Amino acid sequence: MSLQQVNSSNFEQAVLNSDKPVLVDFWAEWCGPCRVLGPVLEEISGEIGTKANIVKLNVDESRDLAMKYGIRGIPTMILFKNGQVVNTLVGNQPKDVILKSIDAL
């Protein structure tokens, strides 16, 4: 399974207008911890099913969104619900911490 990639052109539709909570993984190709986190997020996505969506946003390709959401380090994961930021996780977090954040929604 591959997570949906979002960017400046589809972010509003995929994240802000989603009827489900969305975890956005702000990442970049050159980021080692981001590459480690990727398979963990894919595993989580399979486990949570339709409860929430997990998407990836490349900060090098969508610098405007990285700036808008104050991304200073990657990986950073932001949880959105009803188009609003509800939680931010900075750094490569353990699977159980990410799952608890999603379950809290």
Side-chain angles (χ1 to χ4, degrees), residues 77-80 84-89 101 105:
M77 295 165 280
I78 299 181
L79 279 153
F80 290 82
Q84 301 296 312
V85 173
V86 292
N87 196 5
T88 301
L89 301 169
S101 295
L105 301 176

Side-chain angles (χ1 to χ4, degrees), residues 43-61:
E43 192 175 309
I44 291 170
S45 180
E47 290 179 17
I48 62 173
T50 60
K51 182 169 33 173
N53 293 330
I54 300 176
V55 300
K56 297 178 75 64
L57 184 138
N58 187 316
V59 296
D60 290 334
E61 296 171 1

